[in-house]
Amino acid sequence: MADRPKIVVIDDEVQMRRFLRASFDPSDSEFFEAENGTEGIRLVARTNPDVVLLDLGLPDIDGIDVARQLREWTQVPIIVLSARGREKDKIEALDAGADDYLTKPFGVGELLARIRVTLRHVARSKGAEAEPVYESGELKVDLPMRRVFVACKEVHLTPIEFKLLSMLVRHQGMVLTHRQLLMEVWGPAYCEETHYLRVYMGQLRHKLESEPARPKHIATEPGVGYRLLVD
């Protein structure tokens, strides 16, 4: 990743593009704009950006389809910025390949924080072999040794609990939908069995969190999925 990350915005609203452009310091990042899905896909191919900010309500191609088309040939992080705030829309976008979702209107501070998390996730993914141990606050997860520690004390997880936690670690800071977690851990036949996740995530929180009702590590995205919080 370059010192000045390249950001592509795909949004048909002139005011939103102007607002986003003003949110970034030109000395810290390169900013590219597209006003429709077709132009946006071409722009991503031409610029090879570090992050894509994608609106769903585009005039030519629905943003969900843009995400699907991008995922056919690139793993560039996609953050959806949309006025569609329904759980169904969030789940559909994330399942189509988006990495994160912000509902309009949103604050500049939150957007920049989400972008920083996304860029850190990409950097950590690229260096995953060199850094197989995840640490955040009192939590430490040694992926290759399959060991978990809280406040320097080892915590024993079941195989399913560890598999769930390892998925969250590998996608730290990103939302993983119920469907993504269920497919990866239990298989396609269990995609609708969300009660499995509630039970196991509850068990994980009781083992990892000092206050399970106020989690510092595993956040719930209501109706959508879960996210591993990072410092």
Side-chain angles (χ1 to χ4, degrees):
M1 185 176 59
D3 293 334
R4 294 174 63 222
K6 289 183 285 188
I7 298 167
V8 164
V9 173
I10 307 175
D11 196 310
D12 64 322
E13 295 182 35
V14 175
Q15 297 89 340
M16 177 55 67
R17 297 201 307 275
R18 187 179 298 129
F19 163 74
L20 291 171
R21 189 188 317 119
S23 302
F24 296 96
D25 186 337
S27 64
D28 293 334
S29 58
E30 295 182 72
F31 191 82
F32 304 89
E33 304 173 36
E35 61 184 18
N36 59 60
T38 302
E39 181 185 345
I41 292 169
R42 291 172 181 163
L43 188 59
V44 171
R46 188 170 74 247
T47 61
N48 188 28
D50 296 290
V51 180
V52 173
L53 305 180
L54 173 65
D55 181 36
L56 296 185
L58 299 171
D60 57 341
I61 309 172
D62 189 81
I64 298 291
D65 292 321
V66 172
R68 289 197 183 102
Q69 289 186 41
L70 289 174
R71 281 292 169 260
E72 290 177 0
W73 53 272
T74 179
Q75 290 303 308
V76 61
I78 300 170
I79 300 177
V80 167
L81 310 177
S82 177
R84 301 180 195 172
R86 297 179 305 170
E87 290 176 3
K88 176 179 177 293
D89 295 314
K90 295 180 181 180
I91 293 168
E92 189 176 8
L94 292 164
D95 282 342
D99 297 280
D100 207 345
Y101 195 112
L102 267 175
T103 302
K104 297 177 181 178
F106 50 82
V108 173
E110 182 176 8
L111 171 63
L112 296 178
R114 297 284 183 98
I115 291 174
R116 288 195 297 272
V117 167
T118 298
L119 295 176
R120 286 202 302 270
H121 172 69
V122 171
R124 286 170 178 168
S125 296
K126 290 179 179 177
E129 292 183 6
E131 297 184 71
V133 178
Y134 168 82
E135 293 189 61
S136 179
E138 296 184 333
L139 177 64
K140 177 180 177 180
V141 183
D142 188 326
L143 292 175
M145 297 301 293
R146 300 178 66 84
R147 301 179 72 186
V148 179
F149 301 85
V150 175
C152 299
K153 295 182 179 178
E154 187 164 7
V155 177
H156 296 283
L157 303 184
T158 67
I160 286 180
E161 289 168 353
F162 185 82
K163 196 166 185 179
L164 283 170
L165 181 59
S166 66
M167 275 197 71
L168 292 168
V169 166
R170 290 189 176 98
H171 298 85
Q172 56 197 261
M174 305 297 176
V175 179
L176 290 177
T177 65
H178 297 140
R179 182 181 179 85
Q180 288 170 322
L181 289 163
L182 287 163
M183 282 192 66
E184 181 69 23
V185 177
W186 284 277
Y190 294 85
C191 285
E192 306 302 322
E193 307 294 338
T194 54
H195 63 283
Y196 280 37
L197 279 178
R198 284 196 297 271
V199 170
Y200 279 92
M201 286 300 184
Q203 293 174 184
L204 262 179
R205 282 185 172 136
H206 277 284
K207 292 182 178 182
L208 304 180
E209 306 278 4
S210 57
E211 295 182 70
R214 301 172 63 187
K216 295 180 180 179
H217 300 300
I218 301 174
T220 299
E221 297 288 338
V224 178
Y226 298 91
R227 178 202 304 267
L228 186 69
L229 301 175
V230 295
D231 290 338

